[in-house]
């Protein structure tokens, strides 16, 4: 699929919300998953939103300088406010957002949201050619898991930002997380959760050519450090 942008969901979007350009998806009993097994590409600055009770990427989603969001929940609203990153409001007591493929937004933004969030593949928002790293947010209302061999990277001329948050459970970093600045300062990596751990294969980098960035591992109760 080669598009300017796309939204795919198994939830309901009312006619009124659609006409008002409001991305508010409501519960559909028995709604299925949204799964990408192929290739989804957008032009520069495009957006790809996959929304369902369960969302899985097994293929490639690529949006240079754009935004990729996988949001798993029974009810999900995507709010495009003044901030660059879309705000995701969801009801997720059992939904899973899973990436075993590649999410790539060079110089852009990537978000995964759900009760359970798991990355076994690559989530990369590195600087597009020459430029700062982008921003990545992996936010779970329960548990967040980065499997061994996985990569989460927001590298660039200067490092970008990576937020890993398990609001009500365990945040386990078993893969590689990077926010490196190849020429400028390193970026920011925050790993928050009721329980936070770095596994035997887990590595976090925030180094920089002109100075290191910051790495924060902290307990986080209901969104508060």
């Amino acid at each position: 699929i080669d598009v300017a942008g796309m939204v795919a969901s198994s939830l309901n979007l009312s006619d009124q919300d659609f006409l008002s350009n409001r991305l508010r998806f409501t519960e559909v009993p028995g709604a299925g998953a949204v799964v990408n097994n192929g290739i989804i590409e957008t032009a520069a600055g495009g957006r790809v939103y996959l929304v369902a009770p369960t969302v899985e990427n097994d293929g490639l989603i690529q949006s240079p300088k754009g935004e990729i969001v996988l949001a798993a929940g029974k009810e999900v609203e995507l709010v495009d406010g003044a901030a660059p990153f879309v705000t995701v409001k969801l009801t997720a007591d059992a939904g899973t957002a899973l990436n075993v493929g590649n999410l790539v937004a060079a110089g852009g933004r990537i978000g995964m949201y759900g009760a359970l969030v798991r990355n076994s593949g690559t989530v990369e928002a590195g600087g597009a050619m020459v430029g700062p790293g982008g921003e990545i947010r992996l936010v779970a209302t329960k548990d967040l898991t980065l499997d061994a061999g996985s990569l989460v990277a927001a590298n660039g001329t200067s490092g970008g930002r990576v937020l890993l948050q398990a609001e009500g459970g365990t945040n386990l970093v078993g893969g590689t997380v990077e926010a490196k600045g190849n020429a400028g300062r390193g970026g920011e990596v925050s790993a928050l959760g009721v329980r936070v751990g770095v596994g035997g294969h887990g590595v976090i980098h925030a180094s920089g050519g002109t100075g290191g960035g910051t790495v924060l591992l902290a307990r986080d109760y209901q969104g508060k450090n």
Side-chain angles (χ1 to χ4, degrees):
I1 301 175
D2 191 347
V3 291
M6 69 170 289
V7 179
S9 180
S10 61
L11 302 178
N12 181 61
L13 178 65
S14 70
D15 292 343
Q16 182 177 355
D17 283 340
F18 176 77
L19 293 173
S20 301
N21 199 31
R22 183 177 184 181
L23 295 178
R24 181 176 60 178
F25 301 90
T26 56
E27 183 176 3
V28 176
V34 170
V35 180
N36 174 49
N37 290 314
I39 298 173
I40 301 173
E41 295 181 309
T42 77
R47 295 180 176 184
V48 176
Y49 299 150
L50 305 185
V51 181
T54 296
V55 180
E56 181 175 337
N57 175 55
D58 298 331
L60 168 66
I61 302 177
Q62 185 165 264
S63 182
K65 296 185 179 180
E67 185 168 31
I68 300 169
V69 172
L70 276 57
K74 293 188 298 184
E75 297 183 7
V76 179
E77 183 171 6
L78 307 179
V79 182
D80 188 5
F85 219 115
V86 68
T87 300
V88 178
K89 303 176 181 178
L90 56 81
T91 300
D93 54 3
T96 300
L98 171 64
N99 175 55
V100 298
N102 296 281
L103 304 176
V104 182
R109 301 174 298 276
I110 301 174
M112 293 177 62
Y113 305 85
L116 304 174
V117 175
R118 190 177 198 111
N119 179 48
S120 298
T122 296
V123 178
E124 189 169 9
M129 299 300 288
V130 177
E135 186 171 355
I136 297 171
R137 295 182 182 180
L138 307 185
V139 180
T141 59
K142 293 182 180 177
D143 297 331
L144 168 63
T145 304
L146 307 183
D147 289 331
S150 67
L151 173 66
V152 175
N155 302 324
T157 304
S158 56
R161 296 181 178 180
V162 177
L163 170 64
L164 309 171
Q165 187 170 21
E167 295 174 344
T170 299
N171 185 343
L172 179 58
V173 179
T176 299
V177 181
E178 298 179 341
K180 298 189 293 187
N182 300 321
R185 291 192 61 85
E188 301 175 13
V189 177
S190 297
L192 311 175
V194 176
R195 295 168 295 277
V196 180
V198 178
H201 297 282
V203 179
I204 299 176
H205 292 288
S207 58
T210 60
T214 60
V215 175
L216 172 65
L217 279 71
R219 291 181 177 177
D220 177 45
Y221 296 99
Q222 297 181 345
K224 298 179 181 180
N225 293 344

